[in-house]
Amino acid sequence: MEKRVYEVWKGRNKFVLGGRLIFGPDARSLLVTLLLIIVPVIIFCVFVARHLRHSFSPYNAGYAILVVAIVFTIYVLILLFLTSARDPGIIPRNSHPPEEFRYDSSVSTEVGGRQTPGLQFPRTKEVMVNGVNVRVKYCDTCMLYRPPRCSHCSICSNCVERFDHHCPWVGQCIGLRNYRYFFMFVSSATLLCIYVFSMSALYIKILMDDHHGTVWKAMKESPPSVILMAYCFILLWFVGGLTGFHSYLIATNQTTYENFRYRADNRINVYNRGCPSNFLEVFCTKIKPSKNNFRAFVQEEVPRHTLPSTQEAEVEDRGGDPRSKVEDDLEIGEDLKKISQRRNIEEIDEDIRSRGSNGPPHTTLEVDFVLGSDRQAPTIRSDTRHSSWGRRSGSWEIAPDVLANSTVTESRSYITPKEARQ
């Protein structure tokens, strides 16, 4: 049976409802967040808001306190759901390294008992953003060049566009497609804390007026109100601090990752377009559709020619049935190095016999020389540039919707196969 994309997904995400909902690997922490929101609100509705229903005589306005608490809580939970249950902006990973790389004969690796030339490809590239060169890196896990502001989340094992951070409280990465909902969730939770704290303090004040007592006597009358006030006060430092911090990040068009990593480098923020434009970018732009269709069926890949396996090399070395082998390599200057099909041993023997009939006999050393020289491959150059962004094989090119009107230049930082494995 054909499998869907979410069933063979290489990241650490968890899928629900047949791939319709996507969570992070720490989605269980979402239950803790739900309890931290729902339980205090239930206590507030039962022990505080219920007693305030008749405290405001005109038109029973006290019922509004209860209704607002319930509706506001539902709104916060919806924002939490939109933050944690959707694709944060995951870039589909490639199943193969970039097709364009550098063919370096000086670096060789042993494959199947035979020395083969090593491969190198640029570790970084430079992209022009608002007239400033921005360096983008190659991701060894996803086998792609990350677009600007993209980073690899080590928890989810995905490259996320406009990566902000991985939030354990929502069990999801915060990126391009859910940052707006994350900020609205944090700011709404802050307002909910302020509301519950204020109404609990109001109830303490009403108890003081009704019993003509002190604050301590009123607090003894309603211990849940005191607990809620203390809880909201502590929680307010957390969610309120996050709201203020992310308000600053939005105003300056930064992400949490950029702020902590580049703050000491004194780098120029090339994305800052002014405070009003930065807020409009976050809250008033259309959210891009997901680059992943998790419910789509997995398409079969076209088989690629690879280096000969160890078993085939052993069969050939033992004198078994010879097979023709094709080795495809690509050079960094768009040069396609194809190793031509090797002759088998019978053809070499026939060549030696034919030459032996017209000339002097050949020695064993000459036969080995023929075998060795026959393994050298001619070079075929191709000027065609292949772009495979959005396909299963890698490419130099970065998605045009991510890098509109930007130029890409190659850097000279290379990585060897040993460094890639590390």
Side-chain angles (χ1 to χ4, degrees):
M1 294 181 63
E2 289 184 302
K3 292 186 177 181
R4 298 185 185 269
V5 173
Y6 77 91
E7 295 177 322
V8 296
W9 188 252
K10 294 183 180 180
R12 301 192 186 100
N13 302 90
K14 296 181 179 179
F15 297 89
V16 181
L17 299 179
R20 292 177 176 85
L21 303 179
I22 176 174
F23 297 88
D26 50 352
R28 292 183 179 179
S29 61
L30 187 61
L31 299 176
V32 179
T33 305
L34 291 174
L35 292 177
L36 292 175
I37 296 174
I38 296 176
V39 172
V41 172
I42 292 177
I43 295 176
F44 172 78
C45 293
V46 174
F47 296 99
V48 178
R50 184 170 63 89
H51 297 291
L52 293 174
R53 290 177 299 170
H54 306 291
S55 299
F56 305 93
S57 54
Y59 305 105
N60 291 325
Y63 282 94
I65 298 175
L66 182 61
V67 174
V68 169
I70 296 175
V71 173
F72 205 8
T73 303
I74 295 174
Y75 173 69
V76 171
L77 294 179
I78 292 175
L79 292 175
L80 176 61
F81 175 79
L82 293 175
T83 303
S84 60
R86 63 185 292 138
D87 179 4
I90 300 173
I91 298 179
R93 67 178 64 195
N94 295 322
S95 56
H96 304 289
E99 292 178 348
E100 303 175 7
F101 51 77
R102 180 178 180 182
Y103 185 88
D104 192 356
S105 59
S106 62
V107 180
S108 61
T109 56
E110 185 174 350
V111 179
R114 164 184 301 114
Q115 294 292 329
T116 59
L119 305 178
Q120 289 183 323
F121 50 86
R123 183 65 174 174
T124 60
K125 293 168 61 176
E126 289 185 354
V127 178
M128 189 72 68
V129 178
N130 296 332
V132 180
N133 286 330
V134 177
R135 180 174 295 180
V136 296
K137 295 182 178 180
Y138 177 79
C139 180
D140 296 317
T141 303
C142 299
M143 291 184 287
L144 52 84
Y145 287 97
R146 305 168 188 163
R149 314 193 83 177
C150 172
S151 183
H152 187 86
C153 177
S154 59
I155 299 177
C156 295
S157 188
N158 295 315
C159 279
V160 181
E161 288 187 274
R162 202 186 184 276
F163 177 76
D164 190 88
H165 69 288
H166 183 93
C167 182
W169 297 102
V170 301
Q172 183 63 281
C173 287
I174 307 301
L176 178 66
R177 301 188 67 251
N178 64 349
Y179 181 77
R180 176 186 305 176
Y181 299 111
F182 171 77
F183 179 81
M184 295 174 65
F185 162 70
V186 173
S187 58
S188 299
T190 302
L191 295 177
L192 182 60
C193 286
I194 295 175
Y195 179 79
V196 173
F197 181 89
S198 302
M199 292 299 104
S200 299
L202 177 62
Y203 184 51
I204 294 294
K205 178 66 169 58
I206 292 175
L207 289 177
M208 290 175 57
D209 295 339
D210 291 343
H211 296 82
H212 303 284
T214 61
V215 177
W216 298 108
K217 290 182 179 180
M219 293 172 64
K220 290 180 180 180
E221 288 289 332
S222 178
S225 298
V226 180
I227 296 175
L228 288 174
M229 290 175 63
Y231 174 79
C232 292
F233 179 79
I234 296 173
L235 194 62
L236 193 60
W237 285 97
F238 177 70
V239 293
L242 279 178
T243 302
F245 176 67
H246 282 279
S247 298
Y248 162 74
L249 294 179
I250 295 174
T252 56
N253 205 333
Q254 298 183 70
T255 63
T256 303
Y257 179 82
E258 293 169 349
N259 181 266
F260 280 92
R261 182 167 184 177
Y262 303 137
R263 179 171 49 187
D265 297 341
N266 295 324
R267 295 191 182 184
I268 300 175
N269 186 5
V270 298
Y271 308 103
N272 189 0
R273 300 187 297 174
C275 183
S277 299
N278 294 336
F279 273 94
L280 290 176
E281 179 182 339
V282 173
F283 296 105
C284 299
T285 56
K286 183 179 179 181
I287 298 178
K288 295 181 180 180
S290 174
K291 297 180 181 295
N292 305 277
N293 184 5
F294 299 109
R295 290 186 49 77
F297 289 101
V298 178
Q299 298 179 355
E300 294 184 0
E301 290 189 56
V302 178
R304 293 165 55 98
H305 296 293
T306 57
L307 294 175
S309 62
T310 306
Q311 291 82 0
E312 293 174 343
E314 291 176 356
V315 171
E316 185 179 6
D317 293 338
R318 293 172 183 172
D321 294 336
R323 299 179 183 179
S324 61
K325 301 179 179 60
V326 179
E327 298 178 355
D328 292 342
D329 285 335
L330 294 170
E331 192 176 10
I332 197 169
E334 294 84 31
D335 293 338
L336 180 62
K337 288 205 167 188
K338 294 182 178 179
I339 299 179
S340 61
Q341 189 173 10
R342 296 189 180 94
R343 303 179 195 171
N344 53 33
I345 298 177
E346 287 103 343
E347 292 175 346
I348 298 174
D349 291 336
E350 291 176 1
D351 187 20
I352 294 173
R353 295 192 196 99
S354 63
R355 286 159 51 180
S357 61
N358 297 327
H362 296 273
T363 62
T364 305
L365 294 176
E366 291 175 326
V367 174
D368 292 339
F369 175 78
V370 172
L371 288 171
S373 62
D374 193 59
R375 291 176 184 174
Q376 295 179 354
T379 300
I380 302 176
R381 292 186 176 272
S382 172
D383 295 332
T384 303
R385 172 179 289 274
H386 301 279
S387 174
S388 61
W389 181 268
R391 296 184 293 147
R392 290 183 177 272
S393 59
S395 169
W396 280 79
E397 303 298 331
I398 298 179
D401 59 340
V402 178
L403 296 177
N405 300 324
S406 61
T407 59
V408 179
T409 59
E410 302 170 4
S411 70
R412 296 184 178 180
S413 176
Y414 293 93
I415 180 173
T416 62
K418 294 182 179 180
E419 295 174 350
R421 289 193 295 268
Q422 293 177 355

